[in-house]
Amino acid sequence: MEALYSNIHYWLVDHPTISQFEWKQGHTFGSSISFLTISVSVYLCLTLLSLRFSTFIPTLTTTTIRNITAMHSLILCLLSLLMVIAGILSVQHQMPPHDWKWIVCFPGANRTLPRGPVFFWIYICYLSKIIEFIDTLLIVLSSSRSRRLSFLHVYHHALVTVLGYIGLQHAQSMLGLALIVNASIHVIMYAYYFLSAIGKRPWWKKVVTNCQIYQFMLGFMISALMLYYHFTTEFGCTGVGAWCFGIVFNASLLVLFLDFHSKNYTNNIKKEL
Ligand SMILES: CC(C)(COP(=O)(O)OP(=O)(O)OC[C@H]1O[C@@H](n2cnc3c(N)ncnc32)[C@H](O)[C@@H]1OP(=O)(O)O)[C@@H](O)C(=O)NCCC(=O)NCCSC(=O)CC(=O)O
């Protein structure tokens, strides 16, 4: 058992590529402003064009689209699970001994650089947000696109990538925790999408939405703690400027998800009554 743990720890934390990782703008793959701008612009342009010219876009047969979405969702589900495990091990490894405050507040005044295993996995999470653009492509190519290509979906996919970039660039406090929480939610979300795609639509759709809503609420609570440390400790916390963008995004997603919740589930209760 111990040998298995050491092996996992080596491949997820201690391997030189991971332990010596450093986000260097312009050097690390995907770290240039042009990479970010082009990726997000191409994503938005193609999505808007597909909305504008939806009648010209062929829809794939149900079987083809289901097989591709099932495979894509399974890959993202497993990748998210990997990020949860690696995120926990990396935080444990990189956190100074018994300094629990570090989880929500990386020491400021140039004392924290975006390097080491925690930032490696945040970086993988950032790249995974670009892979998640494929979700939108799959929706566009499916027959249910008019129902599922929502503002919430496109807004989330475009902005989360930008915020991941800004967070890495500024070694934003709380990102390690955000990685673990968000990847955990994505494990169940992509499991839900996988099961839907293979025709076994789970009964727990509402549970997934509730978990997403709790995630955004938790974001506010942890932020309050981070701000407390920021204003009461000698060096403050890193990336408070980047956090300002993040918290506005968090608030907007909370509003959009509450709206999604009331539209999708409140009517069901009324129908049941
Ligand atoms: C329960 C939810 C996860 C999903 O709600 P939806 O109404 O979109 O779900 P649904 O029941 O229509 O989904 C089932 C349909 O999705 C298809 N499907 C399968 N895999 C998919 C994938 N990877 N991306 C997009 N769609 C996919 C299935 O084949 C099925 O199609 P068919 O219906 O044709 O059989 C919800 O809580 C939610 O997140 N809603 C917002 C919509 C969204 O885009 N969410 C993801 C990004 S936001 C996010 O990720 C926030 C976060 O960080 O937590």
Side-chain angles (χ1 to χ4, degrees):
M1 199 65 185
E2 211 164 289
L4 177 69
Y5 178 80
S6 309
N7 238 316
I8 292 175
H9 205 276
Y10 175 77
W11 288 109
L12 298 184
V13 179
D14 304 323
H15 189 282
T17 311
I18 300 173
S19 59
Q20 290 162 28
F21 170 81
E22 182 165 356
W23 167 271
K24 284 190 190 148
Q25 193 181 36
H27 291 277
T28 312
F29 171 75
S31 67
S32 64
I33 289 277
S34 50
F35 176 90
L36 177 73
T37 314
I38 292 170
S39 316
V40 176
S41 307
V42 168
Y43 169 72
L44 285 176
C45 286
L46 289 180
T47 306
L48 294 177
L49 280 175
S50 72
L51 273 175
R52 178 77 184 77
F53 300 106
S54 61
T55 44
F56 298 103
I57 296 173
T59 50
L60 296 182
T61 63
T62 313
T63 318
T64 313
I65 198 75
R66 277 182 185 273
N67 287 342
I68 301 172
T69 48
M71 186 59 78
H72 167 76
S73 302
L74 184 61
I75 291 171
L76 281 171
C77 179
L78 295 176
L79 178 63
S80 303
L81 183 61
L82 183 72
M83 289 192 286
V84 176
I85 299 167
I88 294 171
L89 293 178
S90 301
V91 166
Q92 249 177 18
H93 178 83
Q94 206 168 332
M95 180 180 99
H98 309 296
D99 185 6
W100 296 98
K101 172 166 66 59
W102 187 88
I103 297 177
V104 288
C105 174
F106 299 143
N110 290 331
R111 277 171 167 73
T112 306
L113 292 173
R115 66 176 170 216
V118 169
F119 285 95
F120 173 83
W121 288 105
I122 294 168
Y123 169 65
I124 296 297
C125 185
Y126 159 69
L127 293 182
S128 79
K129 298 300 170 197
I130 292 168
I131 301 173
E132 286 180 19
F133 287 168
I134 297 173
D135 292 353
T136 315
L137 178 70
L138 295 172
I139 292 177
V140 166
L141 293 174
S142 75
S143 52
S144 56
R145 67 172 159 242
S146 54
R147 173 176 66 86
R148 290 175 39 233
L149 193 55
S150 59
F151 171 77
L152 186 170
H153 176 88
V154 179
Y155 171 77
H156 168 271
H157 276 52
L159 271 193
V160 81
T161 316
V162 177
L163 284 159
Y165 180 93
I166 297 175
L168 273 163
Q169 190 58 31
H170 296 275
Q172 189 188 326
S173 291
M174 300 186 347
L175 272 195
L177 190 59
L179 161 77
I180 296 168
V181 174
N182 186 250
S184 305
I185 306 280
H186 277 212
V187 172
I188 53 167
M189 186 184 90
Y190 280 108
Y192 170 81
Y193 277 139
F194 168 71
L195 291 170
S196 299
I198 61 166
K200 296 187 182 340
R201 202 174 284 269
W203 56 264
W204 36 270
K205 175 174 179 173
K206 189 174 166 182
V207 176
V208 184
T209 310
N210 286 343
C211 287
Q212 288 167 310
I213 290 172
Y214 296 143
Q215 159 188 229
F216 304 126
M217 289 176 169
L218 185 70
F220 286 111
M221 290 192 248
I222 305 292
S223 292
L225 195 58
M226 187 276 288
L227 285 178
Y228 170 76
Y229 288 134
H230 181 66
F231 290 113
T232 55
T233 52
E234 189 181 358
F235 304 114
C237 310
T238 52
V240 173
W243 167 85
C244 292
F245 286 107
I247 202 68
V248 173
F249 181 58
N250 195 61
S252 63
L253 280 183
L254 178 59
V255 171
L256 288 168
F257 268 88
L258 287 173
D259 179 58
F260 178 90
H261 191 284
S262 77
K263 283 186 180 140
N264 279 267
Y265 310 115
T266 314
N267 288 347
N268 289 350
I269 293 170
K270 278 185 193 153
K271 266 184 231 161
E272 278 165 23
L273 286 175

